[in-house]
Amino acid sequence: MSREMLQLAEALASEKNVEAGVVFDALEEALSIAARKKASREHMDVRVEIDRETGGYRTFRRWLIVADEDYTYPDVEKTIEEIQEEIPGTDIQIGEYYEEQLENEGFGRQAAQTAKQIILQRIRDAEREQILGEFMTQNQVGESVVMGTVKRSERHGVIVELGRLDALLPRDQMIPRENFRTGDRVRALFLRVDELGNTGRKQVVLSRTAGEFLAKLYEMEVPEIADGLLEIRDVARDPGHRAKVAVKANDQRIDPQGTCIGVRGSRVNAVSNELSGERIDVVLWSPETAQFVINALSPAEVSRILIDEDKHSVDVIVAEDQLALAIGRGGQNVRLASDLTGWQLNIMTVEEADERNAAEDAAICNLFVQHLNIDEETADILVQEGFATLEEVAYVPASELLEIEGFDEEIVEALRNRARDAVLTLAIASEEKLEDVSDDMRNLEGVDSEMLRDLAQAGITTRDDLAELSVDELIEITGVTEEAAKKVILAARAHWFTEESN
């Protein structure tokens, strides 16, 4: 039998053009399966060891040594106490295996057939890995555009044949209303490689909706981009409908927008046709936030903008006849511009901006009147000079206040002292309100000390109070970003759903 084993391994290795080690591994697995079937215990752990030189083999049953409290499966586990009773003085440790040699199972027809199936499967897996390796050598994840043929359509997507490799184009990575038939040629971005469960197999995933796909199509269509004369800085897409592309010239002699659009729109139309007619706006990139926002909102004309660095937002003020154009159908234009620039954009008319500014000025004026014990005229002067908080009045250099017409040293000193007293009083009141904040709200993920103060000031002191707020209300109270506000509110509401499920 030993000679026959070596001859079989040599024959299979030669026939299937694989390493002898692959064949021996498959034979060992086939023999272990045969031993389990003979014992009628499928869950028994059996190990077969073939001597690669002589062809002889031995069969072992083995158990994993576990702690007494972890003992679960008698067929494949023994406790450390149990093994010490069976073999006094053994030095075997938890996590190691204890083996008992069994009688070898004969290598019959069934075992040979099993071995052949295992070898064939491993050969297919090895070929698939080799093909995938060659594909990934030629293409980079997230950067390469590939061309393939539709092999078949499935419920979860389209299978695309890329030479010897099959890839998946999922439904959520296809442009809406886009349908492919068997045999259609399709171009897509090499998005990623997914693991298929516990099978060890891998699946190449493609995308036609990623912003990188549009950028790579432009690079293929515009030689100046490939040459480094032009650069695509950002892309924002509503796949199949509209996209905005921010471009920058690395050579000042080149017009980036005109170059990307092409003569009579030839270049932009070529990319648009590949994307099922997706409308593409070519936007001039700028390192200046204000200018970049203005460019991104094209074709709308912007009157002025106000940037809030703390909230990472921009108030965009437009004329009444430009409002609809700036927002776009269904908010598409402002949404894409926001994605492109990375800033939250708030669109408003000149009249709305003036009304809001007047309301803000009135609120600040009332704050000064109330806490500085001054009349409305003096408070209005402070507002017009750019003072917006009590802290600014309290701690700004006295020289700046003295520059205001009608303010002398006596008035400035009085204002500064009153402002400092007011700041201290409000801080004490704020700390007292913090004492009323419940522990469950203090311990919420995403809620920091600054947010707690703002919430307490607004009378929000319990987790349920916070949970009942809308995202817009939380943003208005605390000034956090929309994403942060959503996370905090979801965390505050989590216990509602837990209670319902119980």
Side-chain angles (χ1 to χ4, degrees):
M1 185 62 191
S2 300
R3 185 183 299 275
E4 292 174 1
M5 185 72 72
L6 291 174
Q7 290 174 346
L8 176 62
E10 183 179 344
L12 285 173
S14 176
E15 177 187 350
K16 302 303 179 182
N17 192 29
V18 296
E19 296 290 335
V22 175
V23 177
F24 278 117
D25 290 344
L27 290 173
E28 288 173 342
E29 187 173 343
L31 287 168
S32 67
I33 291 172
R36 286 198 298 271
K37 287 183 177 179
K38 182 180 179 181
S40 299
R41 301 179 76 170
E42 290 295 323
H43 299 294
M44 185 171 66
D45 189 357
V46 175
R47 182 179 71 87
V48 175
E49 182 182 281
I50 298 177
D51 189 312
R52 268 60 166 168
E53 298 296 331
T54 66
Y57 66 95
R58 294 184 299 170
T59 305
F60 300 91
R61 180 181 181 181
R62 64 180 190 170
W63 291 265
L64 176 65
I65 306 305
V66 298
D68 188 52
E69 62 269 18
D70 297 328
Y71 182 65
T72 307
Y73 305 106
D75 281 344
V76 294
E77 293 177 345
K78 282 182 181 290
T79 66
I80 187 68
E81 291 83 0
E82 183 180 2
I83 198 66
Q84 287 173 346
E85 288 179 4
E86 292 180 8
I87 313 174
T90 181
D91 60 352
I92 195 168
Q93 301 295 319
I94 292 175
E96 297 179 349
Y97 283 94
Y98 168 70
E99 296 185 337
E100 287 183 358
Q101 189 167 349
L102 303 175
E103 182 181 348
N104 287 336
E105 175 62 23
F107 194 80
R109 182 182 60 81
Q110 187 174 4
Q113 185 64 28
T114 301
K116 186 174 182 179
Q117 291 174 354
I118 294 172
I119 292 170
L120 290 174
Q121 182 60 50
R122 292 191 177 182
I123 290 172
R124 285 194 292 268
D125 291 344
E127 289 178 344
R128 192 178 294 110
E129 285 292 328
Q130 182 181 0
I131 293 170
L132 179 61
E134 293 174 356
F135 176 81
M136 294 187 67
T137 300
Q138 299 170 2
N139 302 279
Q140 292 185 323
V141 175
E143 296 186 11
S144 298
V145 172
V146 296
M147 175 76 80
T149 304
V150 175
K151 191 173 183 179
R152 65 181 182 276
S153 293
E154 298 181 348
R155 178 176 56 83
H156 57 284
V158 172
I159 302 300
V160 180
E161 189 175 26
L162 306 174
R164 296 183 297 161
L165 181 71
D166 286 350
L168 173 66
L169 177 59
R171 295 287 177 190
D172 62 357
Q173 296 296 330
M174 294 171 60
I175 294 173
R177 304 185 305 278
E178 192 171 50
N179 293 309
F180 293 108
R181 294 177 295 180
T182 302
D184 285 351
R185 298 286 288 171
V186 59
R187 182 180 283 151
L189 181 79
F190 174 26
L191 184 64
R192 64 177 186 270
V193 177
D194 285 349
E195 296 281 349
L196 296 180
N198 297 322
T199 63
R201 296 177 58 189
K202 297 178 181 178
Q203 175 76 69
V204 171
V205 179
L206 307 179
S207 174
R208 286 177 54 81
T209 61
E212 293 86 350
F213 180 50
L214 188 153
K216 288 298 176 182
L217 289 177
Y218 244 121
E219 186 175 323
M220 295 164 62
E221 190 65 34
V222 181
E224 289 85 352
I225 296 177
D227 293 340
L229 301 177
L230 289 181
E231 181 181 351
I232 292 181
R233 294 299 302 260
D234 296 286
V235 175
R237 291 184 67 187
D238 185 357
H241 299 287
R242 190 173 179 183
K244 288 182 180 287
V245 181
V247 297
K248 170 181 177 289
N250 293 326
D251 187 330
Q252 298 305 316
R253 296 172 297 178
I254 295 178
D255 171 19
Q257 289 176 291
T259 303
C260 289
I261 293 172
V263 179
R264 297 179 182 176
S266 58
R267 290 177 170 178
V268 72
N269 288 337
V271 176
S272 177
N273 292 338
E274 177 62 43
L275 301 175
S276 300
E278 188 171 313
R279 178 185 167 190
I280 301 172
D281 297 337
V282 180
V283 173
L284 187 61
W285 180 85
S286 173
E288 300 294 333
T289 299
Q291 188 59 53
F292 191 22
V293 168
I294 291 172
N295 296 345
L297 283 168
S298 176
E301 296 181 3
V302 176
S303 298
R304 66 180 188 271
I305 65 173
L306 301 173
I307 299 175
D308 188 330
E309 296 280 356
D310 294 333
K311 296 182 180 180
H312 202 69
S313 66
V314 178
D315 292 338
V316 181
I317 301 160
V318 299
E320 185 71 37
D321 60 350
Q322 295 291 311
L323 182 62
L325 195 60
I327 295 174
R329 182 180 299 176
Q332 185 184 67
N333 191 57
V334 66
R335 184 174 65 254
L336 289 176
S338 180
D339 291 343
L340 190 70
T341 60
W343 288 75
Q344 180 183 335
L345 305 183
N346 308 311
I347 308 294
M348 62 186 72
T349 63
V350 175
E351 292 76 11
E352 290 172 339
D354 290 343
E355 289 176 3
R356 193 188 68 170
N357 290 339
E360 291 177 352
D361 289 349
I364 297 170
C365 190
N366 289 334
L367 177 71
F368 289 162
V369 169
Q370 179 181 354
H371 293 286
L372 298 181
N373 192 26
I374 57 178
D375 56 31
E376 290 187 5
E377 183 179 354
T378 305
D380 187 58
I381 291 174
L382 287 172
V383 172
Q384 296 304 317
E385 291 293 332
F387 291 90
T389 65
L390 292 171
E391 286 82 1
E392 290 178 0
V393 178
Y395 301 112
V396 74
S399 58
E400 292 190 22
L401 286 169
L402 287 170
E403 291 178 359
I404 300 175
E405 186 176 354
F407 281 24
D408 56 26
E409 291 185 1
E410 183 179 352
I411 293 175
V412 168
E413 187 64 23
L415 287 175
R416 284 160 60 85
N417 289 334
R418 293 173 189 174
R420 288 168 182 166
D421 291 341
V423 169
L424 180 60
T425 301
L426 291 173
I428 294 172
S430 178
E431 290 298 327
E432 290 176 348
K433 287 185 178 181
L434 268 179
E435 295 177 0
D436 297 331
V437 175
S438 62
D439 290 337
D440 56 1
M441 193 169 94
R442 292 176 186 272
N443 298 328
L444 273 180
E445 183 179 356
V447 177
D448 56 23
S449 57
E450 186 176 349
M451 184 183 292
L452 281 176
R453 284 190 174 84
D454 292 337
L455 290 170
Q457 196 69 27
I460 310 299
T461 58
T462 69
R463 183 175 183 174
D464 285 331
D465 290 340
L466 177 56
E468 289 173 356
L469 293 178
S470 68
V471 172
D472 290 340
E473 287 173 332
L474 182 57
I475 292 173
E476 184 176 354
I477 292 171
T478 64
V480 297
T481 63
E482 182 177 355
E483 182 179 356
K486 287 179 180 178
K487 287 182 179 178
V488 168
I489 289 178
L490 284 175
R493 294 175 179 173
H495 70 294
W496 290 353
F497 305 108
T498 304
E499 291 170 0
E500 290 177 2
S501 62
N502 293 334

